Amino acid sequence: MKFRVLLLAIICSSSLFSQNIQSPKEFLGYELGKQFTRHHRVVDYFTYVSTQLDNVLLEKYGETNERRPLYVSYISSKKNIENIEQIRHNNLGQTGLKPASINDIAIVWLSYNVHGNEASSTEASMQTLYELVTTKKDQLENTLVIIDPCINPDGRDRYANWYNQVKSEPYNTDQNAKEHREPWPGGRANHYLFDLNRDWAWATQIESTQRLKIYNKWMPHVHVDFHEQSMNNPYYFAPAAEPFHEIITDWQRNFQTQIGKNHARYFDKNGWLYFTKESFDLLYPSYGDTYPTYMGAIGMTYEQAGGGMGGLGVDTDHGYELTLVDRVAHHKTTGLSTVEIASKNAVTLNTEFKKFFDTESFKYKSYVLKNENKDKTTRLLALLDKHQIDYEFTNKGLVKGYNYLTQQESRMSVNTKDLVIHTQQPKGKMVKVLFEPNAKLTDSLTYDITAWSLPYAHGFKAIASTTKVSSRKDVMVDTANNEIDQNAYAYVSKWNSLEDASFLAALLQADVRVRFSEKDFTIEGNSYAKGTLIILRGDNKTNKEFDKHITSIAQNKNRKLTPVQTGFVSSGKDFGSSSVNPINKQKVAVISGKGTSSLSFGEIWHFFETQLHYPLTALDTDYINRVDLDEYDVLIIPNGYYSSILNKSGLEKINNFAQAGGTVIAIGTALRSFVNKEGFALKSKKPTEGKENKTPNLTTYEDTRRNRANTLITGAIFKSKVDNSHPLAFGYDDVYFSLKLNNASYAYLQNGSNVAYFNKSATNLAGFAGKKALKNIPESLLFGEERKGSGSIIYMVDNPLFRSFWDNGKLFFVNAIFFRNSSIIK
């Protein structure tokens, strides 16, 4: 009896202690939704709760580019927290990543604020934490909740700081008020202006890379990605819309519906509007709902109205005021509802989670990639390592299967250095998603791109085999060892990878003079391809430690330098030929600001700073017309709409810049500023006329959107022909697979070089392209150069830097910077 009284006292004491935890309102000094909380105060609250309770842990897993901390909080029962490592190991045992084991604890991961200006969810994360530890503790007995309160604190603080600076007091609900009109670039993206909700699979950003480490340590059963959408929309929650990727199980589909019905109970009770099964599909693998889904979780997106126009309160088009208080309440409700339904189904979640990792039924058992370029292979392996995907190396012989290059069944010889990724492994379903030649598409109306196959994206010759290919585990060692040769006439270095480009950038910044060959050549028994870098001793006479200097840079960049004793080649052009051109230390500028796609600008900025490691000057559209462009050698114009600056006088300024020896690189929608304009060679491709254009439009209203899909290309892969004798294509074969993001089509250049282009039989090899859109792609331009006096304009119809994941396109971009007009001293 005494023991029962003591136990009751302990339970009551524990209950009272958790109830004495300060609410977010008490801790922050204001009601959630009455103002935006800056990131450091959010961290303060999560830290406070974790220090007060023995059933909450806080773990720092990284930092952003702007040095804001990234945290996750673990919330469960005291017993579960004490056994948290055992729970983690048991769960991984169900996937095959650890020895087989049994787990009965549901693991729910709630991710907030991946888009910085969708700012209500971080506020909701604090209230969700508070209610879990005070009123929902019974659900924690068999459930571990992991909360990431803010995936993107750099973007969120950018938005919150701006809003707090400009808002009225009291806040203004008029949509036209300044506080509802974010300035460029907005708070949605991270520091480098990348959309982190498109980066889960590609992991190009520091936030993604750090998050994947901890996510893959846990492999949760449920993952929710909290978002906001148009301020006029009702709330969206699961189940998702079609298309679903074919690897998604019936259980995953059905449990989404169960979760949605549970949410609906609470929304119905409160009279809140919501919708399901529309707009947000489960196909593209790099979202915060699909990536977890392909790792076995019930991955979901929840979308609240608001976004950058929401502020603290805004008048919607439907005649009511949408407040931040309401937005927080909705996200808190779905978060808690998710935990509730997971807790009720903890055993089933674990059982079905374990079943997910069976890959026996897959058509393709192995994906084989030729290791002809070690730099490309190293980069791909680094990506696979981020996802903890296993890979091996083939045994010498022949493999048979689907050939990515020819799109036919064929054989390919392999050696002991070639790469193989098997689907029979714990991450086998993700392997299928990332490597399959063409994802099965059940509906053409999708939210994002529909093709991404890594062999195409990284430029590999590859085979998809229906039988498991013989292989072995090994380690690829690729370390350059360079020795000083003080008698060398020159040093030679290859050119076919991004790593070679980074080496060149380092040489130029160290004031080393470098040349490149426009012709293939052979010297001292070795053959070298076009684009090969040549560093002449005679060009660097003022460098007293020439040999030590360049070999040190080469070692740092892991580049192999080959010393040669003469400039007299066995075949090709001698080193003194006009075909061996000096490379100028290019001064590069890029347009930014209003009218520019912030994402496209961010891709360029990120590329220069984190991959090429070369200085870049951003020029804002507000003042670019007052800038003397002759101070620069290269001007990059990202995706964007430039009617206000590239008007008649603006285009004349661009033309004069090129005429004087400058290089203009126009990307994607920027080409619209040049097409069909007087003085420029770029012309639109006339649509193919057909009988359908002459018949009346009798499409029903209901089918209008679907019919419009016939004119769309939603991220499809096309095979192009490449003139690799042109400097823009040095380092490439004569075929390049491009990711086409839209139906833009331009005619072959009549006065210029068509460096990469689509021939008359061009069609989509993977991904969706509407029938009408497809008619205009054959015999159209991909990459071209128009000469202008001493300089040129480079037209890039497709974006080679798209989301930084289409790795094989990046060298085209570098070639445009350094190999065109680079010898012109302005």
Side-chain angles (χ1 to χ4, degrees):
M1 183 66 181
K2 290 181 179 179
F3 175 76
R4 291 177 59 187
V5 172
L6 177 62
L7 181 61
L8 182 62
I10 292 172
I11 292 172
C12 291
S13 175
S14 176
S15 176
L16 288 171
F17 185 64
S18 63
Q19 289 173 2
N20 287 333
I21 286 292
Q22 288 185 333
S23 68
K25 177 181 178 180
E26 293 167 330
F27 183 86
L28 298 170
Y30 53 86
E31 180 185 351
L32 289 178
K34 294 301 184 180
Q35 58 180 281
F36 288 108
T37 309
R38 292 189 61 192
H39 183 66
H40 75 279
R41 292 295 286 153
V42 176
V43 171
D44 287 347
Y45 184 69
F46 273 81
T47 302
Y48 159 73
V49 173
S50 69
T51 58
Q52 296 298 309
L53 297 178
D54 54 12
N55 66 329
V56 178
L57 292 177
L58 189 65
E59 179 181 359
K60 181 180 178 182
Y61 70 86
E63 286 188 351
T64 68
N65 288 289
E66 296 174 14
R67 298 182 295 281
R68 291 183 177 88
L70 296 166
Y71 283 95
V72 289
S73 181
Y74 303 97
I75 308 103
S76 193
S77 67
K78 179 183 178 183
K79 177 183 176 182
N80 290 338
I81 291 298
E82 289 173 348
N83 296 304
I84 192 167
E85 269 303 289
Q86 189 62 52
I87 292 171
R88 186 177 73 82
H89 279 260
N90 289 348
N91 186 56
L92 293 180
Q94 299 183 122
T95 71
L97 291 168
K98 295 284 185 182
S101 56
I102 298 173
N103 181 56
D104 58 2
I105 303 297
I107 302 174
V108 178
W109 189 304
L110 306 177
S111 291
Y112 296 88
N113 238 128
V114 66
H115 292 149
N117 60 0
E118 299 174 7
S120 67
S121 68
T122 287
E123 308 292 337
S125 74
M126 292 185 280
Q127 190 65 31
T128 302
L129 170 66
Y130 176 70
E131 297 202 18
L132 284 172
V133 299
T134 54
T135 65
K136 308 293 182 182
K137 291 187 299 179
D138 58 319
Q139 297 171 14
L140 301 179
E141 292 300 317
N142 67 348
T143 305
L144 171 67
V145 181
I146 305 173
I147 291 181
D148 186 335
C150 190
I151 289 178
N152 180 16
D154 288 353
R156 190 176 192 277
D157 268 7
R158 186 187 313 129
Y159 171 76
N161 289 340
W162 165 80
Y163 185 84
N164 290 336
Q165 289 169 0
V166 303
K167 78 174 185 70
S168 303
E169 188 60 48
Y171 64 83
N172 191 331
T173 61
D174 187 336
Q175 292 181 23
N176 295 315
K178 187 174 183 178
E179 62 197 76
H180 301 298
R181 302 286 176 168
E182 275 185 283
W184 191 94
R188 177 184 176 91
N190 76 338
H191 170 80
Y192 279 113
L193 304 184
F194 270 64
D195 186 334
L196 293 179
N197 193 40
R198 272 59 173 185
D199 195 51
W200 278 75
W202 319 133
T204 68
Q205 300 302 293
I206 190 171
E207 296 92 341
S208 304
T209 299
Q210 294 171 124
R211 183 183 344 109
L212 288 178
K213 288 180 181 178
I214 193 167
Y215 185 92
N216 282 291
K217 279 175 58 179
W218 278 99
M219 298 285 284
H221 309 136
V222 178
H223 181 270
V224 181
D225 194 23
F226 290 87
H227 285 264
E228 291 191 324
Q229 55 183 324
S230 166
M231 65 179 184
N232 296 306
N233 286 356
Y235 197 99
Y236 164 83
F237 50 72
E242 290 285 352
F244 282 59
H245 194 282
E246 63 179 320
I247 70 162
I248 297 174
T249 67
D250 290 342
W251 156 256
Q252 286 175 308
R253 287 172 176 259
N254 294 336
F255 197 66
Q256 279 204 6
T257 301
Q258 290 185 51
I259 292 172
K261 287 181 177 179
N262 203 58
H263 297 344
R265 289 194 305 113
Y266 293 102
F267 275 61
D268 290 345
K269 183 178 180 180
N270 286 284
W272 296 337
L273 289 176
Y274 57 90
F275 68 100
T276 66
K277 301 182 290 292
E278 294 182 71
S279 301
F280 304 102
D281 59 76
L282 290 175
L283 184 70
Y284 174 65
S286 209
Y287 284 136
D289 53 8
T290 49
Y291 181 90
T293 298
Y294 302 156
M295 291 292 193
I298 310 299
M300 297 170 291
T301 289
Y302 296 167
E303 296 269 356
Q304 163 62 46
M309 286 193 70
L312 295 181
V314 62
D315 292 328
T316 68
D317 294 344
H318 301 308
Y320 64 87
E321 180 186 340
L322 174 68
T323 68
L324 181 58
V325 171
D326 292 334
R327 290 150 61 193
V328 171
H330 298 162
H331 269 331
K332 179 210 71 174
T333 299
T334 54
L336 292 174
S337 172
T338 301
V339 174
E340 177 187 51
I341 193 72
S343 178
K344 290 179 178 179
N345 293 272
V347 173
T348 308
L349 274 171
N350 277 279
T351 301
E352 296 296 333
F353 179 72
K354 185 174 183 178
K355 291 179 183 178
F356 176 86
F357 297 92
D358 180 7
T359 61
E360 287 294 328
S361 63
F362 284 176
K363 176 181 178 181
Y364 295 124
K365 308 299 184 184
S366 300
Y367 298 97
V368 182
L369 283 65
K370 287 293 292 181
N371 181 13
E372 297 177 324
N373 184 322
K374 289 183 179 179
D375 293 333
K376 285 185 179 180
T377 303
T378 299
R379 264 181 278 137
L380 179 61
L381 296 186
L383 176 61
L384 298 183
D385 287 341
K386 290 178 182 179
H387 300 299
Q388 297 179 11
I389 291 174
D390 295 331
Y391 47 84
E392 296 184 358
F393 294 87
T394 57
N395 294 316
K396 189 174 182 180
L398 289 174
V399 295
K400 179 183 178 181
Y402 179 89
N403 189 312
Y404 286 69
L405 181 63
T406 64
Q407 295 81 55
Q408 297 176 345
E409 293 290 315
S410 67
R411 296 176 183 271
M412 183 173 74
S413 63
V414 294
N415 58 45
T416 57
K417 296 180 181 179
D418 294 325
L419 185 65
V420 61
I421 303 97
H422 301 301
T423 56
Q424 292 180 11
Q425 61 168 296
K427 302 291 180 69
K429 289 195 172 180
M430 181 59 84
V431 169
K432 171 180 165 58
V433 170
L434 295 180
F435 284 87
E436 62 187 341
N438 191 4
K440 183 178 179 181
L441 193 62
T442 60
D443 195 321
S444 59
L445 297 179
T446 61
Y447 197 68
D448 211 282
I449 65 173
T450 52
W452 50 80
S453 180
L454 287 182
Y456 290 127
H458 282 251
F460 281 91
K461 294 176 183 176
I463 290 282
S465 173
T466 56
T467 59
K468 187 174 181 180
V469 172
S470 174
S471 64
R472 74 204 188 287
K473 293 185 177 180
D474 202 349
V475 177
M476 191 177 77
V477 179
D478 182 28
T479 303
N481 292 308
N482 294 299
E483 295 182 1
I484 291 174
D485 185 347
Q486 294 184 343
N487 296 316
Y489 178 80
Y491 289 88
V492 178
S493 185
K494 73 175 184 68
W495 183 265
N496 64 4
S497 74
L498 181 57
E499 286 70 22
D500 298 329
S502 180
F503 175 47
L504 171 61
L507 290 171
L508 293 175
Q509 290 185 87
D511 294 322
V512 176
R513 295 187 176 184
V514 187
R515 295 175 183 254
F516 73 98
S517 176
E518 288 192 348
K519 306 292 182 182
D520 297 338
F521 66 92
T522 303
I523 188 170
E524 297 180 357
N526 294 316
S527 296
Y528 299 92
K530 302 174 186 70
T532 296
L533 302 180
I534 300 170
I535 311 167
L536 295 167
R537 185 180 299 278
D539 280 344
N540 294 276
K541 291 180 179 179
T542 59
N543 191 335
K544 302 303 181 183
E545 295 189 329
F546 167 69
D547 301 275
K548 182 179 179 181
H549 193 191
I550 65 167
T551 54
S552 174
I553 296 172
Q555 286 298 123
N556 183 53
K557 293 292 183 178
N558 197 28
R559 296 300 89 193
K560 176 62 179 175
L561 287 177
T562 302
V564 295
Q565 307 305 310
T566 178
F568 191 96
V569 301
S570 303
S571 65
K573 300 296 181 181
D574 295 329
F575 289 0
S577 167
S578 60
S579 294
V580 179
N581 294 317
I583 302 174
N584 186 30
K585 187 178 179 180
Q586 301 285 69
K587 190 172 181 182
V588 186
V590 59
I591 295 179
S592 65
K594 188 176 181 180
T596 306
S597 162
S598 60
L599 297 175
S600 182
F601 167 78
E603 290 158 1
I604 295 164
W605 178 24
H606 177 262
F607 177 75
F608 270 82
E609 289 198 356
T610 69
Q611 297 174 66
L612 189 59
H613 305 289
Y614 194 79
L616 176 71
T617 300
L619 304 176
D620 199 278
T621 53
D622 282 348
Y623 60 79
I624 191 171
N625 283 334
R626 301 191 299 274
V627 173
D628 181 4
L629 294 182
D630 287 338
E631 294 184 14
Y632 304 94
D633 303 296
V634 180
L635 178 65
I636 303 169
I637 309 178
N639 273 305
Y641 299 92
Y642 299 102
S643 58
S644 62
I645 62 168
L646 294 184
N647 47 29
K648 185 176 181 179
S649 62
L651 289 173
E652 183 178 355
K653 185 173 183 176
I654 293 291
N655 188 64
N656 292 339
F657 170 74
Q659 290 278 354
T663 301
V664 178
I665 304 173
I667 300 173
T669 54
L671 273 64
R672 297 179 184 182
S673 296
F674 298 91
V675 66
N676 302 325
K677 298 293 176 63
E678 183 179 352
F680 296 92
L682 188 67
K683 305 299 177 187
S684 58
K685 191 172 184 292
K686 295 181 179 180
T688 303
E689 296 295 332
K691 292 182 180 180
E692 68 273 13
N693 295 327
K694 300 177 182 179
T695 59
N697 180 15
L698 300 179
T699 304
T700 64
Y701 178 80
E702 184 178 11
D703 292 335
T704 298
R705 181 171 177 240
R706 187 164 297 281
N707 191 58
R708 193 179 302 128
N710 282 325
T711 66
L712 302 178
I713 295 175
T714 52
I717 298 171
F718 287 76
K719 184 178 182 179
S720 71
K721 176 69 176 174
V722 177
D723 173 12
N724 58 8
S725 69
H726 192 286
L728 193 63
F730 286 174
Y732 285 91
D733 294 328
D734 60 359
V735 168
Y736 170 73
F737 294 94
S738 186
L739 181 66
K740 184 163 283 295
L741 302 173
N742 54 49
N743 61 2
S745 179
Y746 300 92
Y748 291 157
L749 296 177
Q750 296 299 312
N751 297 304
S753 299
N754 297 285
V755 182
Y757 54 91
F758 303 109
N759 62 24
K760 64 173 61 178
S761 62
T763 190
N764 55 319
L765 309 177
F768 176 76
K771 292 180 180 179
K772 290 182 180 180
L774 272 176
K775 292 180 179 179
N776 231 28
I777 302 304
E779 298 182 294
S780 69
L781 180 69
L782 175 55
F783 302 137
E785 178 186 36
E786 176 186 0
R787 296 299 303 173
K788 287 278 188 181
S790 299
S792 62
I793 299 179
I794 308 294
Y795 299 113
M796 293 187 150
V797 179
D798 294 346
N799 180 5
L801 302 183
F802 178 67
R803 293 179 185 166
S804 195
F805 95 93
W806 203 259
D807 222 53
N808 199 36
K810 294 173 182 176
L811 199 60
F812 280 114
F813 186 69
V814 176
N815 289 345
I817 295 166
F818 292 115
F819 286 177
R820 303 312 297 141
N821 318 307
S822 184
S823 60
I824 305 297
I825 305 299
K826 297 176 67 177

